[in-house]
Amino acid sequence: MQVTALEWVITCVVILGLFVFDFFAHVRTPHEPSFRESGFWSAVYIGIALAFGGFVAWRWGSTFAGEYYAGFVTEKALSVDNLFIFLIIMSTFAVPRMYQQKALLIGIVIALVMRGVFIAVGAAAISAFSWVFYLFGLFLVYTAIKLVTESGHEAEHEEKRDSRVVALAKRVLPTTDSYDGDKLVTRVDGRRVVTPLLLALLAIGFADLLFALDSIPAIYGLTSEPYLVFTANAFALMGLRQLYFLIGGLLDRLVYLSYGLSAILAFIGVKLVLHALHENTLPFINGGKHVSVPEISTGVSLGVIIGILVIATVASLLRTRTRARSG
């Protein structure tokens, strides 16, 4: 897949332009978005992401388009799980609903920048060392197991992380416990201090950093093209703010989402290990020769990922409906 420097620049400018538009059109004036507004713009950004996949198919072929779609669906699913953490952070810092949009959008931009760094590092590592796929695969399997064991205790773990972030921030920054509109920094008795909104933003940024550790190895298990990895991440994050307000109340009903995501991560982890064995150069494995193992195609990967998400969602909704009737 050959991507010119001009195509990279145009892509980055368009993505940046969409975030700038989002800020001035929706975030600059503090308000709590309605269900209709959130639904409309969520659909718009998903439509843009799907249309970009069509462009990839036209420009580079259906194989790369399939890799993009698989990566986008995976990253979007992981992003939905991240929304639950965002809800906890907003609740912990008691961020007023009308100011949450600003914290979310800035946090999402920070996440994209950090993921860009991880994508570049991952691409360089994969290019230089094929055995990196072993590390990515085993890490994803470990993450999947951890996700299952921590399921149901996400709030406790996140509150502990938030308390550490706040404690560290308060050591080095003067802070106040009061909000001043949607300002990140304000003045109290003539002294510049950090508001709780900035502390919430720092917590979101730290959470995004941890999310990137899972999501980047996962998508490299579906495509080895940095351009597709970056765009799939960018379009998955885009519209996440609107999705937060759209399905915020629904997140509590997706009780099996963590199990579904752990299954997806484990599946991609196994796929990466199989790919690493196929490309093996480590001398202590099969004498440094390639191992003849089956590889999982992009089409199969996309089908498995979508199937797991459908099953997890339907099972969650049936479970919560049964609880509601019995309660």
Side-chain angles (χ1 to χ4, degrees):
M1 180 179 182
Q2 297 295 324
V3 183
T4 66
L6 179 60
E7 287 170 330
W8 267 105
V9 171
I10 292 175
T11 301
C12 292
V13 168
V14 170
I15 291 172
L16 178 61
L18 288 171
F19 277 112
V20 171
F21 166 78
D22 202 15
F23 177 81
F24 283 99
H26 305 109
V27 177
R28 190 178 186 183
T29 302
H31 70 287
E32 181 180 344
S34 65
F35 182 86
R36 182 178 180 181
E37 176 187 338
S38 300
F40 174 78
W41 286 105
S42 292
V44 167
Y45 285 118
I46 290 175
I48 293 173
L50 296 178
F52 181 79
F55 167 75
V56 173
W58 170 78
R59 177 69 177 84
W60 293 286
S62 59
T63 299
F64 291 116
E67 293 179 2
Y68 163 78
Y69 282 126
F72 171 74
V73 171
T74 300
E75 294 299 322
K76 200 68 175 179
L78 291 171
S79 296
V80 171
D81 190 50
N82 298 349
L83 292 181
F84 181 72
I85 303 301
F86 292 164
L87 278 172
I88 296 172
I89 293 174
M90 295 299 180
S91 176
T92 301
F93 291 93
V95 181
R97 292 277 290 180
M98 64 187 304
Y99 302 141
Q100 290 180 7
Q101 290 200 93
K102 184 173 184 178
L104 285 170
L105 183 62
I106 296 176
I108 289 168
V109 172
I110 292 174
L112 183 58
V113 172
M114 288 192 297
R115 291 189 187 197
V117 174
F118 276 95
I119 290 167
V121 172
I126 290 171
S127 177
F129 311 104
S130 61
W131 51 261
V132 168
F133 285 112
Y134 284 115
L135 297 182
F136 281 1
L138 294 175
F139 177 74
L140 288 181
V141 172
Y142 163 77
T143 302
I145 296 172
K146 185 179 178 183
L147 194 59
V148 171
T149 57
E150 291 184 356
S151 180
H153 303 282
E154 294 90 349
E156 298 172 18
H157 291 288
E158 185 56 36
E159 286 169 1
K160 289 180 181 178
R161 281 199 292 260
D162 292 345
S163 64
R164 295 192 193 105
V165 172
V166 172
L168 179 61
K170 287 187 174 182
R171 285 180 190 174
V172 297
L173 297 171
T175 61
T176 177
D177 295 328
S178 302
Y179 284 90
D180 185 8
D182 64 345
K183 293 181 179 179
L184 302 178
V185 179
T186 187
R187 285 187 177 275
V188 176
D189 298 327
R191 185 187 182 203
R192 295 178 68 84
V193 295
V194 168
T195 68
L197 189 61
L198 181 55
L199 296 179
L201 181 58
L202 291 175
I204 290 174
F206 183 72
D208 284 331
L209 177 62
L210 297 180
F211 297 152
L213 295 176
D214 300 338
S215 65
I216 301 305
I219 193 171
Y220 267 121
L222 300 169
T223 177
S224 59
E225 300 294 335
Y227 182 77
L228 297 181
V229 174
F230 175 74
T231 52
N233 268 274
F235 286 116
L237 289 173
M238 203 170 293
L240 191 60
R241 176 184 60 80
Q242 290 86 351
L243 198 61
Y244 170 87
F245 290 98
L246 180 64
I247 68 171
L250 182 63
L251 289 175
D252 292 336
R253 300 177 63 188
L254 299 177
V255 292
Y256 295 130
L257 179 61
S258 292
Y259 295 103
L261 292 177
S262 67
I264 290 173
L265 291 177
F267 168 75
I268 298 176
V270 171
K271 184 177 186 293
L272 278 169
V273 172
L274 290 175
H275 179 73
L277 288 169
H278 190 268
E279 302 293 328
N280 178 63
T281 57
L282 295 178
F284 54 86
I285 297 178
N286 198 35
K289 299 178 181 179
H290 302 340
V291 181
S292 180
V293 293
E295 288 211 75
I296 303 171
S297 68
T298 300
V300 171
S301 298
L302 183 58
V304 169
I305 291 167
I306 293 176
I308 291 173
L309 289 176
V310 170
I311 292 172
T313 301
V314 172
S316 295
L317 296 179
L318 290 175
R319 174 65 174 169
T320 51
R321 180 179 296 179
T322 302
R323 284 182 181 176
R325 288 177 179 175
S326 61

